Amino acid sequence: MPEPALLISGLKVSWPAPGGVLDAVRGVDLAVNSGETVALVGESGCGKTLTALSVISLIPKPGKVTAGKILLDGKDVLSLDGEALRRLRGRSAGMVFQEPMTSLNPVFTVGFQLAEAVNPEGSLTRNEVRNRSIELLREVGIPEPEKRLDSYPHELSGGLRQRVMIASAIAQNPRLLIADEPTTALDVTVEAQIMHLLERLKEERGIAVLLITHDLGIVRRHAARVYVMYAGYVVEEGSAERIFNCPSHPYTRGLIRSLPRRGEVLTPIPGNVPSLAGIPPGCPFSDRCPLVIPACSEGLPPLTQAPGQNLSRCIRSCEDV
């Protein structure tokens, strides 16, 4: 069986704090295969983006990875530094960051910024860089790419800026593409175009896609498998079909019930994601869970799979409300 494009095991990301450390990502296991779209979902503050940034070793300081292993394209990311780490970024993994409206530097042209991704080692001539940049812009569906190279970001729509970011992320033909909220601030039509583009690139290039999003509608249409995160933990894992048709964890059920449906009143999850310093003992979702019982506070449930269920971190995963 081919080696996964990305394999994460036991990942922990921590921040120093008075009297100790705060863990923002807590023992995450995750895998993405070539040609597969895997979604990482959960509310803001659950650790999704930090998990993704760990893959390319871009955790904001003073945070750092304190445990676990990350294999990207067969390479141990946590053992690399300096030039070896720089070469890994872009070649093994490309990342589309949040906020297409602000991800590009407003004082440089599209061509100047794209050239950094196309020619990171400075080995290509100016004409070669320009021609390759035009090819990339054309591949991601930007009209009149020759003209767009000389445009500044403020002259482009949000959708075109996002396409430029995708072009930059795939410039070195990476095995893994990380798309962190790729449809943020885009209207519904442009959102569909961007997701169609990512789907096409996945199929044509055979790359793996790690999709981080709050939009469960996008997940349902595009992901093969789903990891649900809460308070730094993966609380459920399974195929997209099973996650949506028979979710096992109460948190996953709450997310799905929060989806807007025509003619129905929204059913939000009560409360908020706990702060890093305020995660309850035992199950991290216990203070918001409709199925909570005293045993839920006695210890962190392991990821287990009951018959007919997804992998779930819940002692009452076979029950419903």
Side-chain angles (χ1 to χ4, degrees):
M1 186 174 179
E3 184 180 66
L6 173 65
L7 183 62
I8 298 175
S9 57
L11 178 67
K12 182 182 288 187
V13 178
S14 306
W15 257 261
V21 296
L22 295 177
D23 297 326
V25 176
R26 301 166 173 244
V28 165
D29 297 330
L30 184 148
V32 189
N33 299 310
S34 296
E36 178 185 43
T37 297
V38 169
L40 192 56
V41 304
E43 295 166 282
S44 295
C46 286
K48 306 184 302 298
T49 295
L50 284 177
T51 299
L53 291 175
S54 300
V55 174
I56 52 177
S57 206
L58 285 179
I59 296 292
K61 294 185 180 303
K64 63 179 180 178
V65 174
T66 53
K69 191 170 187 177
I70 302 173
L71 294 179
L72 176 58
D73 201 11
K75 304 176 182 69
D76 184 356
V77 174
L78 301 181
S79 68
L80 302 178
D81 56 16
E83 180 63 18
L85 183 58
R86 188 188 68 78
R87 290 169 65 89
L88 186 78
R89 297 173 184 147
R91 291 189 174 185
S92 294
M95 185 162 181
V96 181
F97 295 91
Q98 294 186 36
E99 299 294 343
M101 308 300 275
T102 58
S103 294
L104 293 170
N105 192 318
V107 302
F108 295 110
T109 64
V110 167
F112 182 90
Q113 297 181 66
L114 194 53
E116 295 180 331
V118 169
N119 191 28
E121 298 177 356
S123 59
L124 302 179
T125 67
R126 181 176 297 181
N127 282 339
E128 287 173 333
V129 171
R130 182 174 179 82
N131 290 338
R132 175 61 178 146
S133 297
I134 290 171
E135 289 175 9
L136 284 167
L137 294 184
R138 184 174 290 118
E139 184 176 3
V140 299
I142 293 182
E144 300 182 298
E146 297 86 354
K147 293 182 180 179
R148 295 301 186 186
L149 282 182
D150 300 319
S151 298
Y152 287 88
H154 73 271
E155 298 177 291
L156 305 181
S157 66
L160 289 180
R161 293 186 207 188
Q162 192 65 295
R163 290 174 188 267
V164 171
M165 293 301 300
I166 294 171
S168 179
I170 66 172
Q172 296 295 311
N173 198 28
R175 191 174 175 199
L176 172 72
L177 179 63
I178 302 170
D180 189 2
E181 299 287 358
T183 58
T184 297
L186 302 179
D187 64 42
V188 175
T189 301
V190 177
E191 172 187 290
Q193 293 171 351
I194 293 298
M195 291 309 303
H196 176 74
L197 169 60
L198 292 177
E199 193 73 20
R200 178 171 61 80
L201 290 172
K202 181 192 71 173
E203 294 174 357
E204 293 177 354
R205 292 180 171 232
I207 60 177
V209 177
L210 177 59
L211 174 64
I212 300 169
T213 183
H214 294 90
D215 192 329
L216 295 184
I218 286 177
V219 173
R220 190 166 201 163
R221 291 190 296 272
H222 296 280
R225 292 187 298 113
V226 180
Y227 291 82
V228 182
M229 284 193 73
Y230 185 78
Y233 297 100
V234 170
V235 296
E236 185 164 356
E237 171 193 346
S239 69
E241 180 181 6
R242 288 192 59 82
I243 288 287
F244 283 96
N245 292 334
C246 47
S248 298
H249 197 281
Y251 178 60
T252 308
R253 296 175 193 148
L255 290 177
I256 293 173
R257 288 169 180 162
S258 298
L259 286 171
R261 294 179 177 86
R262 183 175 298 176
E264 295 185 16
V265 177
L266 289 178
T267 308
I269 303 173
N272 299 294
V273 177
S275 68
L276 297 183
I279 295 176
C283 173
F285 188 59
S286 59
D287 61 344
R288 304 173 70 189
C289 182
L291 297 179
V292 65
I293 57 175
C296 295
S297 63
E298 295 176 1
L300 177 69
L303 269 174
T304 55
Q305 187 169 21
Q309 299 280 319
N310 301 316
L311 275 169
S312 175
R313 199 181 292 276
C314 180
I315 60 175
R316 302 187 69 188
S317 60
C318 295
E319 303 176 42
D320 203 349
V321 289

